[in-house]
Amino acid sequence: MTRLHIVHTTSFIYDRPAAASYNEARMRPATLPGQMVLSSRLSASPSTWSTEYRDYWGTQVTAFEVLRTHSELVVTSESTVDLQPRPDPGATGVAERVEWSTLTEPSIADRLAEFLANTEATAPSDELAALALECGGGRSPVEAALAVCEAVRSAVEYVPGVTGVHTRAAEAWAQRSGVCQDIAHLVLGALRSLGIPARYVSGYLHPLGHEAVAGETFLGESHAWIEFWCGEWYPWDPTNRCAVSDHHVVVARGREYNDVTPLRGVFAGGGQSQQSVQVALTLEA
């Protein structure tokens, strides 16, 4: 068992005082099989009103507004999560028994339609779709999915800062570089082009894994990976070329980044704003 303490802080500083702002935060981990949230709270300063709900994708959302003049806004999510070792997704044998014809069964295609259709963010270029088709040749769906993950990662260099939150998969592919969000979008687009349902996962990862030292805080960022469906959801971290472990913390799932954006909102007045984000991860056990 792994216990992680996570503090995710996002700050905005405005050029001049803002009159009001309206926001939604998706920054609190979910309790799932293998992942138990022991404590979680989200605070915003300043804030004059807030409420919570679950969105269409099942993510816990904190909506809040600031109805007074303010020059900065600080949003902090602090959580402690217990994580059990994740079973080998291939160990059940379910995925191995799934054939291409299984994925086209009307009941499957209908139930997972939202994860079969590409969006503007995930739509693959013709070249990437061709690569996916090559990966699928002669392989079962699960073998093809893992081959796509590896092929995309081998073709794309991880370079922090070269893309933004609005970068599309086709743009990241053209420059052959990006971050975890781009690599997830690229893999999603490629898998869906083959007819394999796939979804975007946002959350956190302690990058040192079992090398992390208890009590020491690591300053990192949010993370993104994918899950593809082959009889059951098969989690995979294409950026790190690994299965999802007991150092990955799930916050939200959706079709793409825009479904799970950690913090989004609008503000009145204020001119331009400067944003800073920090994620502090501490292994507690």
Side-chain angles (χ1 to χ4, degrees):
M1 188 272 289
T2 299
R3 178 170 296 171
L4 289 179
H5 182 71
I6 305 152
V7 181
H8 181 170
T9 305
T10 301
S11 303
F12 293 92
I13 297 177
Y14 306 112
D15 287 346
R16 54 183 184 274
S21 68
Y22 306 87
N23 307 273
E24 286 184 345
R26 292 170 173 80
M27 298 165 62
R28 301 176 67 181
T31 291
L32 305 164
Q35 175 174 306
M36 174 67 74
V37 177
L38 302 181
S39 65
S40 178
R41 65 185 180 92
L42 186 139
S43 62
S45 179
S47 174
T48 53
W49 174 87
S50 69
T51 189
E52 295 191 357
Y53 67 95
R54 290 197 180 275
D55 68 12
Y56 176 78
W57 308 104
T59 304
Q60 184 172 359
V61 181
T62 302
F64 63 95
E65 59 188 26
V66 185
L67 299 179
R68 63 181 175 86
T69 302
H70 56 291
S71 299
E72 63 179 1
L73 174 65
V74 179
V75 183
T76 301
S77 172
E78 183 171 2
S79 305
T80 301
V81 183
D82 273 354
L83 300 158
Q84 299 295 328
R86 308 296 172 87
D88 178 354
T92 63
V94 172
E96 293 294 338
R97 294 194 292 272
V98 171
E99 301 178 351
W100 290 105
S101 59
T102 308
L103 301 179
T104 58
E105 291 176 3
S107 61
I108 301 299
D110 182 61
R111 178 162 60 89
L112 300 175
E114 290 165 322
F115 302 114
L116 281 165
N118 269 310
T119 67
E120 290 187 3
T122 66
S125 65
D126 292 343
E127 186 179 14
L128 178 55
L131 177 64
L133 193 60
E134 181 180 343
C135 290
R139 292 187 170 101
S140 68
V142 64
E143 292 171 339
L146 293 174
V148 165
C149 291
E150 180 59 28
V152 169
R153 184 64 183 90
S154 295
V156 176
E157 184 179 6
Y158 181 88
V159 182
V162 299
T163 55
V165 295
H166 300 298
T167 301
R168 300 177 181 179
E171 297 167 330
W173 182 253
Q175 63 186 26
R176 295 295 197 276
S177 61
V179 296
C180 57
Q181 172 186 317
D182 305 301
I183 294 169
H185 280 166
L186 288 164
V187 169
L188 292 175
L191 293 177
R192 291 170 184 169
S193 73
L194 291 178
I196 299 175
R199 61 190 182 187
Y200 187 102
V201 186
S202 70
Y204 308 105
L205 167 66
H206 197 308
L208 299 182
H210 293 287
E211 301 299 321
V213 176
E216 291 187 357
T217 297
F218 183 93
L219 297 181
E221 299 177 338
S222 299
H223 192 47
W225 59 95
I226 62 101
E227 295 175 345
F228 61 85
W229 193 90
C230 278
E232 58 188 3
W233 289 106
Y234 196 117
W236 193 258
D237 182 346
T239 300
N240 292 300
R241 294 182 160 110
C242 67
V244 169
S245 73
D246 56 353
H247 289 80
H248 288 78
V249 178
V250 175
V251 171
R253 296 176 171 120
R255 296 165 300 177
E256 50 150 287
Y257 173 80
N258 286 325
D259 289 337
V260 300
T261 305
L263 183 62
R264 70 171 66 182
V266 296
F267 59 92
Q272 299 295 316
S273 66
Q274 296 181 6
Q275 180 185 13
S276 62
V277 179
Q278 183 182 79
V279 177
L281 300 157
T282 306
L283 178 69
E284 293 192 342

mmCIF file with all atom_site columns, all heavy atoms in Angstrom, residues 222-234:
data_model
loop_
_atom_site.group_PDB
_atom_site.id
_atom_site.type_symbol
_atom_site.label_atom_id
_atom_site.label_alt_id
_atom_site.label_comp_id
_atom_site.label_asym_id
_atom_site.label_entity_id
_atom_site.label_seq_id
_atom_site.pdbx_PDB_ins_code
_atom_site.Cartn_x
_atom_site.Cartn_y
_atom_site.Cartn_z
_atom_site.occupancy
_atom_site.B_iso_or_equiv
_atom_site.pdbx_formal_charge
_atom_site.auth_seq_id
_atom_site.auth_comp_id
_atom_site.auth_asym_id
_atom_site.auth_atom_id
_atom_site.pdbx_PDB_model_num
ATOM 1   N N   . SER A 1 222 ? 0.548   18.033 -12.597 1.00 0.00 ? 222 SER A N   1
ATOM 2   C CA  . SER A 1 222 ? -0.504  17.063 -12.879 1.00 0.00 ? 222 SER A CA  1
ATOM 3   C C   . SER A 1 222 ? 0.000   16.097 -13.953 1.00 0.00 ? 222 SER A C   1
ATOM 4   O O   . SER A 1 222 ? 0.970   16.374 -14.664 1.00 0.00 ? 222 SER A O   1
ATOM 5   C CB  . SER A 1 222 ? -1.765  17.773 -13.371 1.00 0.00 ? 222 SER A CB  1
ATOM 6   O OG  . SER A 1 222 ? -2.256  18.652 -12.390 1.00 0.00 ? 222 SER A OG  1
ATOM 7   N N   . HIS A 1 223 ? -0.687  14.967 -14.071 1.00 0.00 ? 223 HIS A N   1
ATOM 8   C CA  . HIS A 1 223 ? -0.265  13.981 -15.063 1.00 0.00 ? 223 HIS A CA  1
ATOM 9   C C   . HIS A 1 223 ? -1.483  13.528 -15.854 1.00 0.00 ? 223 HIS A C   1
ATOM 10  O O   . HIS A 1 223 ? -2.636  13.755 -15.443 1.00 0.00 ? 223 HIS A O   1
ATOM 11  C CB  . HIS A 1 223 ? 0.403   12.796 -14.359 1.00 0.00 ? 223 HIS A CB  1
ATOM 12  C CG  . HIS A 1 223 ? 1.113   11.865 -15.293 1.00 0.00 ? 223 HIS A CG  1
ATOM 13  N ND1 . HIS A 1 223 ? 1.964   12.304 -16.281 1.00 0.00 ? 223 HIS A ND1 1
ATOM 14  C CD2 . HIS A 1 223 ? 1.088   10.501 -15.402 1.00 0.00 ? 223 HIS A CD2 1
ATOM 15  C CE1 . HIS A 1 223 ? 2.436   11.266 -16.937 1.00 0.00 ? 223 HIS A CE1 1
ATOM 16  N NE2 . HIS A 1 223 ? 1.915   10.160 -16.434 1.00 0.00 ? 223 HIS A NE2 1
ATOM 17  N N   . ALA A 1 224 ? -1.233  12.893 -16.982 1.00 0.00 ? 224 ALA A N   1
ATOM 18  C CA  . ALA A 1 224 ? -2.318  12.365 -17.814 1.00 0.00 ? 224 ALA A CA  1
ATOM 19  C C   . ALA A 1 224 ? -1.893  11.039 -18.411 1.00 0.00 ? 224 ALA A C   1
ATOM 20  O O   . ALA A 1 224 ? -0.721  10.853 -18.773 1.00 0.00 ? 224 ALA A O   1
ATOM 21  C CB  . ALA A 1 224 ? -2.668  13.353 -18.921 1.00 0.00 ? 224 ALA A CB  1
ATOM 22  N N   . TRP A 1 225 ? -2.835  10.122 -18.513 1.00 0.00 ? 225 TRP A N   1
ATOM 23  C CA  . TRP A 1 225 ? -2.591  8.839  -19.162 1.00 0.00 ? 225 TRP A CA  1
ATOM 24  C C   . TRP A 1 225 ? -3.894  8.396  -19.803 1.00 0.00 ? 225 TRP A C   1
ATOM 25  O O   . TRP A 1 225 ? -4.825  9.190  -19.948 1.00 0.00 ? 225 TRP A O   1
ATOM 26  C CB  . TRP A 1 225 ? -2.029  7.824  -18.167 1.00 0.00 ? 225 TRP A CB  1
ATOM 27  C CG  . TRP A 1 225 ? -2.870  7.510  -16.965 1.00 0.00 ? 225 TRP A CG  1
ATOM 28  C CD1 . TRP A 1 225 ? -3.745  6.473  -16.816 1.00 0.00 ? 225 TRP A CD1 1
ATOM 29  C CD2 . TRP A 1 225 ? -2.877  8.227  -15.711 1.00 0.00 ? 225 TRP A CD2 1
ATOM 30  N NE1 . TRP A 1 225 ? -4.309  6.504  -15.561 1.00 0.00 ? 225 TRP A NE1 1
ATOM 31  C CE2 . TRP A 1 225 ? -3.800  7.563  -14.870 1.00 0.00 ? 225 TRP A CE2 1
ATOM 32  C CE3 . TRP A 1 225 ? -2.225  9.356  -15.231 1.00 0.00 ? 225 TRP A CE3 1
ATOM 33  C CZ2 . TRP A 1 225 ? -4.068  8.005  -13.570 1.00 0.00 ? 225 TRP A CZ2 1
ATOM 34  C CZ3 . TRP A 1 225 ? -2.501  9.798  -13.939 1.00 0.00 ? 225 TRP A CZ3 1
ATOM 35  C CH2 . TRP A 1 225 ? -3.398  9.125  -13.125 1.00 0.00 ? 225 TRP A CH2 1
ATOM 36  N N   . ILE A 1 226 ? -3.973  7.155  -20.212 1.00 0.00 ? 226 ILE A N   1
ATOM 37  C CA  . ILE A 1 226 ? -5.168  6.712  -20.943 1.00 0.00 ? 226 ILE A CA  1
ATOM 38  C C   . ILE A 1 226 ? -5.653  5.368  -20.395 1.00 0.00 ? 226 ILE A C   1
ATOM 39  O O   . ILE A 1 226 ? -4.926  4.678  -19.675 1.00 0.00 ? 226 ILE A O   1
ATOM 40  C CB  . ILE A 1 226 ? -4.902  6.591  -22.463 1.00 0.00 ? 226 ILE A CB  1
ATOM 41  C CG1 . ILE A 1 226 ? -3.826  5.530  -22.776 1.00 0.00 ? 226 ILE A CG1 1
ATOM 42  C CG2 . ILE A 1 226 ? -4.459  7.927  -23.033 1.00 0.00 ? 226 ILE A CG2 1
ATOM 43  C CD1 . ILE A 1 226 ? -4.362  4.208  -23.255 1.00 0.00 ? 226 ILE A CD1 1
ATOM 44  N N   . GLU A 1 227 ? -6.879  5.041  -20.745 1.00 0.00 ? 227 GLU A N   1
ATOM 45  C CA  . GLU A 1 227 ? -7.424  3.700  -20.530 1.00 0.00 ? 227 GLU A CA  1
ATOM 46  C C   . GLU A 1 227 ? -8.089  3.275  -21.833 1.00 0.00 ? 227 GLU A C   1
ATOM 47  O O   . GLU A 1 227 ? -8.846  4.045  -22.412 1.00 0.00 ? 227 GLU A O   1
ATOM 48  C CB  . GLU A 1 227 ? -8.444  3.690  -19.392 1.00 0.00 ? 227 GLU A CB  1
ATOM 49  C CG  . GLU A 1 227 ? -7.844  4.014  -18.034 1.00 0.00 ? 227 GLU A CG  1
ATOM 50  C CD  . GLU A 1 227 ? -8.876  4.120  -16.920 1.00 0.00 ? 227 GLU A CD  1
ATOM 51  O OE1 . GLU A 1 227 ? -10.068 4.225  -17.245 1.00 0.00 ? 227 GLU A OE1 1
ATOM 52  O OE2 . GLU A 1 227 ? -8.480  4.126  -15.744 1.00 0.00 ? 227 GLU A OE2 1
ATOM 53  N N   . PHE A 1 228 ? -7.760  2.093  -22.319 1.00 0.00 ? 228 PHE A N   1
ATOM 54  C CA  . PHE A 1 228 ? -8.460  1.592  -23.506 1.00 0.00 ? 228 PHE A CA  1
ATOM 55  C C   . PHE A 1 228 ? -9.289  0.382  -23.106 1.00 0.00 ? 228 PHE A C   1
ATOM 56  O O   . PHE A 1 228 ? -9.008  -0.294 -22.109 1.00 0.00 ? 228 PHE A O   1
ATOM 57  C CB  . PHE A 1 228 ? -7.477  1.271  -24.645 1.00 0.00 ? 228 PHE A CB  1
ATOM 58  C CG  . PHE A 1 228 ? -6.446  0.218  -24.342 1.00 0.00 ? 228 PHE A CG  1
ATOM 59  C CD1 . PHE A 1 228 ? -6.734  -1.135 -24.499 1.00 0.00 ? 228 PHE A CD1 1
ATOM 60  C CD2 . PHE A 1 228 ? -5.169  0.576  -23.921 1.00 0.00 ? 228 PHE A CD2 1
ATOM 61  C CE1 . PHE A 1 228 ? -5.785  -2.110 -24.232 1.00 0.00 ? 228 PHE A CE1 1
ATOM 62  C CE2 . PHE A 1 228 ? -4.213  -0.392 -23.645 1.00 0.00 ? 228 PHE A CE2 1
ATOM 63  C CZ  . PHE A 1 228 ? -4.525  -1.731 -23.794 1.00 0.00 ? 228 PHE A CZ  1
ATOM 64  N N   . TRP A 1 229 ? -10.335 0.109  -23.878 1.00 0.00 ? 229 TRP A N   1
ATOM 65  C CA  . TRP A 1 229 ? -11.270 -0.941 -23.511 1.00 0.00 ? 229 TRP A CA  1
ATOM 66  C C   . TRP A 1 229 ? -11.061 -2.180 -24.364 1.00 0.00 ? 229 TRP A C   1
ATOM 67  O O   . TRP A 1 229 ? -11.146 -2.137 -25.604 1.00 0.00 ? 229 TRP A O   1
ATOM 68  C CB  . TRP A 1 229 ? -12.713 -0.456 -23.673 1.00 0.00 ? 229 TRP A CB  1
ATOM 69  C CG  . TRP A 1 229 ? -13.735 -1.365 -23.036 1.00 0.00 ? 229 TRP A CG  1
ATOM 70  C CD1 . TRP A 1 229 ? -14.209 -1.311 -21.760 1.00 0.00 ? 229 TRP A CD1 1
ATOM 71  C CD2 . TRP A 1 229 ? -14.395 -2.471 -23.652 1.00 0.00 ? 229 TRP A CD2 1
ATOM 72  N NE1 . TRP A 1 229 ? -15.114 -2.319 -21.538 1.00 0.00 ? 229 TRP A NE1 1
ATOM 73  C CE2 . TRP A 1 229 ? -15.254 -3.044 -22.690 1.00 0.00 ? 229 TRP A CE2 1
ATOM 74  C CE3 . TRP A 1 229 ? -14.342 -3.041 -24.927 1.00 0.00 ? 229 TRP A CE3 1
ATOM 75  C CZ2 . TRP A 1 229 ? -16.052 -4.149 -22.960 1.00 0.00 ? 229 TRP A CZ2 1
ATOM 76  C CZ3 . TRP A 1 229 ? -15.137 -4.150 -25.199 1.00 0.00 ? 229 TRP A CZ3 1
ATOM 77  C CH2 . TRP A 1 229 ? -15.973 -4.685 -24.215 1.00 0.00 ? 229 TRP A CH2 1
ATOM 78  N N   . CYS A 1 230 ? -10.751 -3.277 -23.709 1.00 0.00 ? 230 CYS A N   1
ATOM 79  C CA  . CYS A 1 230 ? -10.678 -4.584 -24.368 1.00 0.00 ? 230 CYS A CA  1
ATOM 80  C C   . CYS A 1 230 ? -11.353 -5.584 -23.426 1.00 0.00 ? 230 CYS A C   1
ATOM 81  O O   . CYS A 1 230 ? -10.689 -6.364 -22.730 1.00 0.00 ? 230 CYS A O   1
ATOM 82  C CB  . CYS A 1 230 ? -9.235  -4.993 -24.645 1.00 0.00 ? 230 CYS A CB  1
ATOM 83  S SG  . CYS A 1 230 ? -8.530  -4.263 -26.132 1.00 0.00 ? 230 CYS A SG  1
ATOM 84  N N   . GLY A 1 231 ? -12.665 -5.517 -23.360 1.00 0.00 ? 231 GLY A N   1
ATOM 85  C CA  . GLY A 1 231 ? -13.400 -6.373 -22.434 1.00 0.00 ? 231 GLY A CA  1
ATOM 86  C C   . GLY A 1 231 ? -13.513 -5.764 -21.056 1.00 0.00 ? 231 GLY A C   1
ATOM 87  O O   . GLY A 1 231 ? -14.472 -6.013 -20.321 1.00 0.00 ? 231 GLY A O   1
ATOM 88  N N   . GLU A 1 232 ? -12.554 -4.984 -20.671 1.00 0.00 ? 232 GLU A N   1
ATOM 89  C CA  . GLU A 1 232 ? -12.537 -4.184 -19.449 1.00 0.00 ? 232 GLU A CA  1
ATOM 90  C C   . GLU A 1 232 ? -11.560 -3.044 -19.694 1.00 0.00 ? 232 GLU A C   1
ATOM 91  O O   . GLU A 1 232 ? -10.772 -3.072 -20.638 1.00 0.00 ? 232 GLU A O   1
ATOM 92  C CB  . GLU A 1 232 ? -12.116 -5.037 -18.235 1.00 0.00 ? 232 GLU A CB  1
ATOM 93  C CG  . GLU A 1 232 ? -10.748 -5.688 -18.394 1.00 0.00 ? 232 GLU A CG  1
ATOM 94  C CD  . GLU A 1 232 ? -10.447 -6.669 -17.281 1.00 0.00 ? 232 GLU A CD  1
ATOM 95  O OE1 . GLU A 1 232 ? -11.317 -6.895 -16.424 1.00 0.00 ? 232 GLU A OE1 1
ATOM 96  O OE2 . GLU A 1 232 ? -9.319  -7.200 -17.260 1.00 0.00 ? 232 GLU A OE2 1
ATOM 97  N N   . TRP A 1 233 ? -11.628 -2.030 -18.833 1.00 0.00 ? 233 TRP A N   1
ATOM 98  C CA  . TRP A 1 233 ? -10.740 -0.892 -19.031 1.00 0.00 ? 233 TRP A CA  1
ATOM 99  C C   . TRP A 1 233 ? -9.312  -1.260 -18.643 1.00 0.00 ? 233 TRP A C   1
ATOM 100 O O   . TRP A 1 233 ? -9.070  -1.811 -17.570 1.00 0.00 ? 233 TRP A O   1
ATOM 101 C CB  . TRP A 1 233 ? -11.222 0.323  -18.239 1.00 0.00 ? 233 TRP A CB  1
ATOM 102 C CG  . TRP A 1 233 ? -12.464 0.917  -18.824 1.00 0.00 ? 233 TRP A CG  1
ATOM 103 C CD1 . TRP A 1 233 ? -13.736 0.842  -18.333 1.00 0.00 ? 233 TRP A CD1 1
ATOM 104 C CD2 . TRP A 1 233 ? -12.553 1.674  -20.039 1.00 0.00 ? 233 TRP A CD2 1
ATOM 105 N NE1 . TRP A 1 233 ? -14.610 1.501  -19.164 1.00 0.00 ? 233 TRP A NE1 1
ATOM 106 C CE2 . TRP A 1 233 ? -13.915 2.020  -20.222 1.00 0.00 ? 233 TRP A CE2 1
ATOM 107 C CE3 . TRP A 1 233 ? -11.629 2.087  -20.994 1.00 0.00 ? 233 TRP A CE3 1
ATOM 108 C CZ2 . TRP A 1 233 ? -14.362 2.759  -21.314 1.00 0.00 ? 233 TRP A CZ2 1
ATOM 109 C CZ3 . TRP A 1 233 ? -12.075 2.830  -22.088 1.00 0.00 ? 233 TRP A CZ3 1
ATOM 110 C CH2 . TRP A 1 233 ? -13.422 3.162  -22.239 1.00 0.00 ? 233 TRP A CH2 1
ATOM 111 N N   . TYR A 1 234 ? -8.406  -0.942 -19.553 1.00 0.00 ? 234 TYR A N   1
ATOM 112 C CA  . TYR A 1 234 ? -7.009  -1.332 -19.434 1.00 0.00 ? 234 TYR A CA  1
ATOM 113 C C   . TYR A 1 234 ? -6.184  -0.055 -19.269 1.00 0.00 ? 234 TYR A C   1
ATOM 114 O O   . TYR A 1 234 ? -5.955  0.682  -20.248 1.00 0.00 ? 234 TYR A O   1
ATOM 115 C CB  . TYR A 1 234 ? -6.618  -2.071 -20.711 1.00 0.00 ? 234 TYR A CB  1
ATOM 116 C CG  . TYR A 1 234 ? -5.356  -2.896 -20.677 1.00 0.00 ? 234 TYR A CG  1
ATOM 117 C CD1 . TYR A 1 234 ? -5.399  -4.273 -20.870 1.00 0.00 ? 234 TYR A CD1 1
ATOM 118 C CD2 . TYR A 1 234 ? -4.109  -2.304 -20.515 1.00 0.00 ? 234 TYR A CD2 1
ATOM 119 C CE1 . TYR A 1 234 ? -4.249  -5.047 -20.891 1.00 0.00 ? 234 TYR A CE1 1
ATOM 120 C CE2 . TYR A 1 234 ? -2.958  -3.070 -20.515 1.00 0.00 ? 234 TYR A CE2 1
ATOM 121 C CZ  . TYR A 1 234 ? -3.030  -4.429 -20.713 1.00 0.00 ? 234 TYR A CZ  1
ATOM 122 O OH  . TYR A 1 234 ? -1.877  -5.196 -20.727 1.00 0.00 ? 234 TYR A OH  1
#
